[in-house]
Amino acid sequence: MKILNIVGARPNFIKIAPLMTEYRKHKNIDAILVHTGQHYDDKMSDYLFHDLGIPKPDINLEVGSGSHAVQTAEIMKRFEPFAISYKPDLVVVVGDVNSTIACGLVATKLDIKLAHIEAGLRSFDRSMPEEINRILTDSISDLLFCTESSGVDNLLAEGVAHNKIHMVGNIMIDTLLSHLEKAQQSTIIEDLQQQYCLDIRDFAVLTLHRPSNVDDALVFSRILDALEVIQADMPVFFPIHPRTRRNISILGLQQKIDNLKNLYMLDPVSYLDFLKLQADARIVLTDSGGIQEETTILKVPCITLRENTERPVTVTIGSNQVAGTDTGKIVTAYKRAVNGDYREPQIPPLWDGKAAERIVSTFE
Ligand code: UD1
């Protein structure tokens, strides 16, 4: 069986890694890896391959950045001839990035079976590019693998046939559990302590990259106002996405950030270092999807800087609060979390490190 696996952006690498390991146990599977090149900076791409032990991609389509239409079209143009010549029995896409829908569309139109991992998640916010990618990818997939029960419910409500849907758990958590011990050996906290002459007890971690947060000066400013309160209590470490770094100067926010003396902007950090930072943080503030899930497993309070989440299980049984981007609401959520006024999170069903095994067993 020939399986063609697609990665493009940083979170994809984390989701594909356990599959590549699992395939090796199946002699009848010939799996290859295509990198679209959506993310191309060493720190957004190569470092992850190294940290996660993913084999080098068999091909890199090197599409790079562009508008949504340009990026999606370019991936499709470059992927199609490769898919035609390789003739896979199955194309596997993960998550909700432009590479996911672009390669999914190519596969479907070539009449190649398509599997989508992390299917059914819905924020019900169509202004989010990822929501469009999710809905479209799910509507053309033959095998849909869900991480949480809301995903199954959403797909059924959209009319997806029951027999196409598989509740398999969370593949990103497979990666987390298999790398946690190694991550605990990371020296990132000592390094930061030394670099900034800090005596760190509690600290917060911040990530921001959604266009709705970092392309709008007013929204970005409101988040920074909340951080002013938080950094007065503890250092805030902010590994910064290239898009966010660029926008800070474009939107004229550098001075405001410089005034936050206990906020430390870092280059994007490796997967293992970031896992260590999350695991030891007093609190994590983020607009990422995956981090809401990782903090749930690590039992670290998470504040989601968005108005909604497509991962509701992280709120209902996890440690996540969806605070939006209003300064007062973020500060209130922060106080609730650090004052211990939140439930000990539970582990969602099947987030047990065996999702890849369950997924590959359905391929045979
Ligand atoms: C993409 C995904 C988003 C995911 C995120 C993880 C889409 C629509 N969005 O967002 O869902 O959460 O990846 O990081 O697919 N850039 C670089 N170097 C890189 C990559 C990007 O400098 O290696 C800069 C470029 O200025 C680029 C911008 O970041 O224009 C945005 O990159 P893009 O791939 O379009 O989307 P992300 O914001 O990374």
Side-chain angles (χ1 to χ4, degrees), residues 43-54:
K43 288 188 170 153
M44 302 292 286
S45 174
D46 290 11
Y47 283 21
L48 279 120
F49 275 84
H50 174 262
D51 264 11
L52 299 169
I54 312 174

Side-chain angles (χ1 to χ4, degrees), residues 8-12 37-45 64-68 71-72 96-100 128-130 133-134 209-211 214 241-244 246-247 287-290:
R10 189 164 53 172
N12 294 166
Q38 177 174 348
H39 282 177
Y40 44 86
D41 282 358
D42 282 355
K43 288 188 170 153
M44 302 292 286
S45 174
S65 301
S67 69
H68 283 266
Q71 192 176 58
T72 308
D96 54 17
V97 303
N98 287 344
S99 302
T100 310
M128 246 183 125
E130 294 81 1
N133 293 342
R134 291 180 200 118
H209 75 282
R210 297 258 164 238
V214 303
H241 187 286
R243 172 192 205 105
T244 311
R246 197 191 54 202
N247 282 5
D287 59 8
S288 148

Side-chain angles (χ1 to χ4, degrees), residues 280-301:
D280 287 8
R282 181 73 187 81
I283 187 153
V284 174
L285 299 104
T286 190
D287 59 8
S288 148
I291 294 173
Q292 297 169 47
E293 300 180 331
E294 290 171 343
T295 47
T296 287
I297 291 292
L298 296 167
K299 299 186 187 289
V300 172

